[in-house]
């Protein structure tokens, strides 16, 4: 099984190199790993401070791990954080994040790379966020007796870990010193599979979104000007083309009553033009707007990154993209502001989305007609919208505190 695992990773890397001339993300992934270990060795060669290693797959996992990184830095000011990413979507956006002393791509998971990386980093503690389970890195950490934890993990019965043939994957999980899960169901799955070093801490993203929602707001004068007439606002976050197709009838039906802020997941010209075609002449791109043009528009199209979490405070409703394709994006950012949520049908892998649907705060839809049907009662009945707001805010605040629980465990168990 080791051979198949290694072969699969090498074939994956080879495929990315082959498509790199045609796929920008593949090119970034490949270029970011050229000479990577030598770069890490040279960068860390003179470092004498204790280092702790945090690893995130991509940008979503970074936001999940961010409150824990910030809490760790506050509690251990003499230590430094080494942050790695697997995906360019995380690294390219956060490569200059000031909360980490060093930020790198993660080398490909081979036995030699794991030894070389850990020789250079020499971590006192390793923290993997949510989904990353790399056999050789975890095996080498265990061999060196470096404590390694997984945080905000969530597991489902259909995963390979819990299949009769999943012994190799269960051995990967056994390498963790402790696994902190989002829910009790995950703990029960792990224990039934023989993985007992686990407990429920919750999802650290709740701590992030609560802090964002309660912090002094960032100044966004163009968005202030866009919403200055006090019309209700629908925020469309992390949309894909499939989401815009479903949203188009709603945008057209409510164009005289609502304002819309649309933040696509990927800012490509074809995507931006699709949004512009929904309400011709009434869409303005954020990068091209001024106070006069946004006041005349009905759709503010965000052709930048990094502002979405701040935009939800301007909203009355939210649509979160991804659930017609690869997977639902972050719903908690909108829920932290109490916004009624709409999204596509593929949401079952996300505990918080299921919770919000069960509580009547979120409304999965499978078509444009279903979206219009679900949206109408909340738009026309203010008391219904405010009721959703109260339930959503209570849910988010009740589920915060995972960071505190994990930091308590680190303080009690890990000798730093």
């Amino acid at each position: 099984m080791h051979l198949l695992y290694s072969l699969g990773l090498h074939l994956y890397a080879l495929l990315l190199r082959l498509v790199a001339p045609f796929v920008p993300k593949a090119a970034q992934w490949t270029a970011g790993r050229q000479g990577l270990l030598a770069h890490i060795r040279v960068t860390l060669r003179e470092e004498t401070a204790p280092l702790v290693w945090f690893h995130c797959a991509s940008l979503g996992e970074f936001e999940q791990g961010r409150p824990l990184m910030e809490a760790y830095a506050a509690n251990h000011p003499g230590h430094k954080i080494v942050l790695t990413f697997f995906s360019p979507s995380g690294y390219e956006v956060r490569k200059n994040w000031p909360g980490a002393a060093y930020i790198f791509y993660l080398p490909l998971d081979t036995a030699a790379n794991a030894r070389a990386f850990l020789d250079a980093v020499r971590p006192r503690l390793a923290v993997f966020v949510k989904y990353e389970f790399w056999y050789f890195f975890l095996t080498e950490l265990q061999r060196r007796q470096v404590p390694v934890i997984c945080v905000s993990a969530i597991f489902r019965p259909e995963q390979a870990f819990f299949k009769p043939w999943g012994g190799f994957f269960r051995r990967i999980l056994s390498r963790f010193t402790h696994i902190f899960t989002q829910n009790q169901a995950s703990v029960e799955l792990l224990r039934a599979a023989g993985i007992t070093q686990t407990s429920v801490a919750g999802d650290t993203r709740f701590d992030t979104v609560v802090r964002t929602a309660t912090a002094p707001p960032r100044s966004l004068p163009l968005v202030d000007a866009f919403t200055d007439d006090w019309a209700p606002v629908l925020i469309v976050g992390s949309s894909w083309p499939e989401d815009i197709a479903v949203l188009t009838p709603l945008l057209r039906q409510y164009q005289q009553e609502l304002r819309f802020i649309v933040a696509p997941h990927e800012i490509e010209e074809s995507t931006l033009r699709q949004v512009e075609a929904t309400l011709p002449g009434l869409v303005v791109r954020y990068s091209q707007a001024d106070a006069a043009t946004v006041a005349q528009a009905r759709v503010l199209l965000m052709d930048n990154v990094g502002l979405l979490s701040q935009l939800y405070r301007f909203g009355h409703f939210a649509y979160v993209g991804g659930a017609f394709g690869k997977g639902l994006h972050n719903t908690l950012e909108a829920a932290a502001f109490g916004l009624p949520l709409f999204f596509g049908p593929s949401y079952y892998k996300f505990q918080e989305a299921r919770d919000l649907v069960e509580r009547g705060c979120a409304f999965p839809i499978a078509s444009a007609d279903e979206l219009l049907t679900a949206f109408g009662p909340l738009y026309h009945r203010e008391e219904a919208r405010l009721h959703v707001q109260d339930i959503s805010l209570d849910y988010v605040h009740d589920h915060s505190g995972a960071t505190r629980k994990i930091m308590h465990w680190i303080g009690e168990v890990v000798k730093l």
Side-chain angles (χ1 to χ4, degrees), residues 77-96:
H79 294 195
K80 292 184 179 180
I81 290 174
V82 176
L83 172 61
T84 58
F85 288 98
F86 181 79
S87 167
S89 300
Y91 178 82
E92 296 299 331
V93 174
R94 292 301 185 186
K95 61 186 175 183
N96 297 313

Side-chain angles (χ1 to χ4, degrees), residues 82-413:
V82 176
L83 172 61
T84 58
F85 288 98
F86 181 79
S87 167
S89 300
Y91 178 82
E92 296 299 331
V93 174
R94 292 301 185 186
K95 61 186 175 183
N96 297 313
W97 183 57
Y102 304 100
I103 304 176
F104 307 113
Y105 275 106
L106 181 74
L108 192 68
D109 184 33
T110 68
N113 285 353
R115 290 193 297 269
F117 177 83
L118 292 173
D119 283 343
V121 178
R122 307 177 307 280
R124 301 284 187 90
L125 169 70
V127 181
F128 284 48
V129 180
K130 194 175 182 179
Y131 281 142
E132 293 288 89
F133 308 114
W134 298 115
Y135 175 78
F136 290 109
F137 280 107
L138 289 168
T139 299
E140 188 64 19
L141 284 164
Q142 186 184 56
R143 189 186 71 79
R144 297 179 186 220
Q145 298 183 324
V146 176
V148 54
I149 62 176
C150 183
V151 302
S152 295
I154 190 164
F155 295 93
R156 300 178 302 279
E158 64 269 22
Q159 290 174 308
F161 310 109
F162 312 112
K163 300 297 184 182
W165 45 262
F168 172 77
F169 301 101
R170 289 190 288 275
R171 286 195 294 276
I172 294 177
L173 296 182
S174 72
R175 304 305 197 247
F176 284 102
T177 309
H178 201 84
I179 299 173
F180 293 98
T181 70
Q182 294 185 28
N183 58 23
Q184 184 63 33
S186 294
V187 167
E188 292 170 2
L189 274 173
L190 290 170
R191 290 179 177 169
I195 309 299
T196 59
Q197 71 286 12
T198 180
S199 60
V200 179
D203 188 343
T204 50
R205 285 182 303 163
F206 285 93
D207 301 324
T208 298
V209 299
V210 167
R211 183 180 57 193
T212 299
T214 56
R218 180 174 172 178
S219 177
L220 296 171
L222 279 177
V223 186
D224 283 325
F226 179 69
T227 59
D228 195 43
D229 64 352
W230 298 99
V233 179
L234 170 63
I235 309 292
V236 179
S238 300
S239 64
W240 292 82
E242 297 88 345
D243 298 300
I244 298 302
V246 169
L247 280 159
T248 296
L250 186 145
L251 268 65
R252 290 175 176 167
Q253 179 169 323
Y254 288 92
Q255 63 177 292
Q256 299 301 322
E257 304 167 59
L258 290 172
R259 287 184 180 270
F260 306 92
I261 300 177
V262 180
H265 181 68
E266 293 188 345
I267 303 167
E268 298 177 351
E269 186 62 26
S270 59
T271 301
L272 300 177
R273 288 181 178 176
Q274 182 195 20
V275 177
E276 289 173 330
T278 61
L279 296 176
L282 296 177
V283 180
V284 61
R285 298 189 188 189
Y286 185 79
S287 65
Q288 301 171 0
D290 55 33
T293 54
V294 294
Q296 300 303 313
R298 303 308 296 179
V299 179
L300 179 58
L301 177 56
M302 307 303 295
D303 54 350
N304 64 353
V305 295
L307 291 182
L308 180 57
S309 63
Q310 297 290 324
L311 295 175
Y312 286 117
R313 66 182 169 92
F314 295 93
H316 297 78
F317 309 91
Y319 178 100
V320 178
F324 279 97
K326 295 184 177 180
L328 180 64
H329 292 292
N330 191 337
T331 55
L332 288 179
E333 290 178 336
F337 289 92
L339 306 189
L341 283 165
F342 305 90
F343 44 72
S346 300
Y347 68 92
Y348 295 100
K349 292 181 179 180
F350 303 90
Q351 180 68 47
E352 67 281 3
R354 296 202 307 269
D355 290 345
L356 290 165
V357 170
E358 289 172 4
R359 286 163 172 77
C361 303
F363 306 88
I365 53 93
S367 66
D369 286 342
E370 286 189 14
L371 177 59
L372 285 167
T373 299
F375 182 79
L378 289 164
Y379 174 69
H380 293 292
R381 293 178 57 233
E382 179 70 356
E383 67 275 14
R385 185 183 70 83
L386 293 175
H387 179 64
V388 168
Q389 176 179 287
D390 291 340
I391 298 173
S392 183
L393 292 175
D394 286 345
Y395 169 73
V396 171
H397 285 271
D398 288 347
H399 284 75
S400 63
T403 299
R404 175 180 47 79
K405 294 176 184 177
I406 296 167
M407 286 301 302
H408 176 76
W409 184 93
I410 291 173
E412 291 290 317
V413 177

